Amino acid sequence: MGQVISGSLHHLKAATKDLHRTLDRESGMVRLMAPDLNVTEYGLLLEKMLCIYALVEPALLQAEKTMGTVATWKSKSDWLAMDLRQLNPNIVFSFKSTCAISSLQINSLAELAGCLYVLEGATLGGQMIVKKLRQTLGTNVEKSLRFFEAYGEATGERWGATCKGIEKTLQHEDDLTDACRKARELFEVFITVMHQPAAMASVEHQPMAA
């Protein structure tokens, strides 16, 4: 198992800092805060996000069934599908044409913790993004903000609970190494997909099981 460690969240943050910065500043995500963002571009960005979440979340659910849980989370792919259908009721979602992965392998609770660090941590900036989108796009997207609203006023509280679960899971050096590697892998998927052009395909999103 390796030696006992403390402060695993600090280590995860340091290990992924470079990729987090690249995602925020150099990928398509930066357009969310742009003053010239339009509704069409917003929809394409949401489609890319759905492409990722619809592939990653089933892997998380499967890992929980076989290994247990790290922290409580909710499906974001369902929220993304809702937002996209509000923008375009006739949309079909593209997964195969834009995704950098066809599946995600999660082989331990430590790797699951690394994934949740990325996915649940992403909810923290949502309130700021929602405020900016309302300023830029106004009523055109008012019903298409569910994904970025995430847990709303409970976002901070839920992130705190997730952090406790991650810290409890990553108590040994080997586990932390696995979590950091998986978190970096997931950040790289986000960066790759957000750099790619969105393309329509005939793969329909299936709602996540409750």
Side-chain angles (χ1 to χ4, degrees):
M1 294 292 292
Q3 70 181 62
V4 177
I5 59 169
S6 61
S8 56
L9 266 295
H10 173 77
H11 289 289
L12 270 168
K13 183 176 181 180
T16 58
K17 184 178 180 180
D18 60 328
L19 296 178
H20 198 169
R21 181 182 293 114
T22 297
L23 178 63
D24 286 345
R25 300 180 183 181
E26 299 176 26
S27 76
M29 291 294 292
V30 72
R31 292 293 302 158
L32 288 166
M33 305 301 287
D36 61 338
L37 179 74
N38 59 54
V39 174
T40 298
E41 188 177 7
Y42 175 59
L44 293 176
L45 288 170
L46 290 180
E47 187 188 352
K48 291 180 182 182
M49 298 296 284
L50 177 57
C51 170
I52 300 167
Y53 279 81
L55 286 172
V56 171
E57 289 181 340
L60 267 64
L61 288 175
Q62 184 59 40
E64 288 182 335
K65 287 180 180 179
T66 58
M67 293 178 283
T69 60
V70 172
T72 301
W73 57 279
K74 290 186 178 181
S75 168
K76 315 300 186 302
S77 57
D78 290 344
W79 295 346
L80 283 159
M82 290 167 55
D83 288 345
L84 280 162
R85 285 199 175 99
Q86 287 293 333
L87 291 176
N88 179 5
N90 299 316
I91 193 170
V92 288
F93 302 117
S94 68
F95 299 150
K96 292 181 179 178
S97 57
T98 61
C99 278
I101 55 172
S102 59
S103 64
L104 179 73
Q105 299 297 319
I106 301 176
N107 300 310
S108 67
L109 278 177
E111 292 187 353
L112 178 59
C115 290
L116 290 177
Y117 172 77
V118 178
L119 296 178
E120 292 299 284
T123 65
L124 296 177
Q127 301 305 303
M128 181 175 63
I129 292 173
V130 165
K131 182 178 180 180
K132 182 63 176 179
L133 289 172
R134 284 185 170 129
Q135 291 175 348
T136 305
L137 302 177
T139 58
N140 292 321
V141 295
E142 187 57 43
K143 294 182 179 181
S144 300
L145 299 174
R146 184 67 184 86
F147 171 72
F148 287 111
E149 286 178 336
Y151 306 120
E153 294 181 357
T155 297
E157 179 181 352
R158 291 186 69 108
W159 174 241
T162 298
C163 289
K164 289 180 181 179
I166 291 173
E167 290 278 8
K168 183 178 180 180
T169 301
L170 305 180
Q171 296 186 5
H172 295 86
E173 187 176 23
D174 292 347
D175 290 333
L176 177 60
T177 298
D178 289 345
C180 289
R181 184 185 66 252
K182 187 58 65 171
R184 286 187 63 85
E185 177 185 334
L186 195 48
F187 266 119
E188 288 170 351
V189 169
F190 270 89
I191 292 167
T192 299
V193 174
M194 296 308 292
H195 269 115
Q196 292 177 337
M200 302 306 292
S202 59
V203 182
E204 184 67 25
H205 169 68
Q206 297 296 323
M208 296 283 287

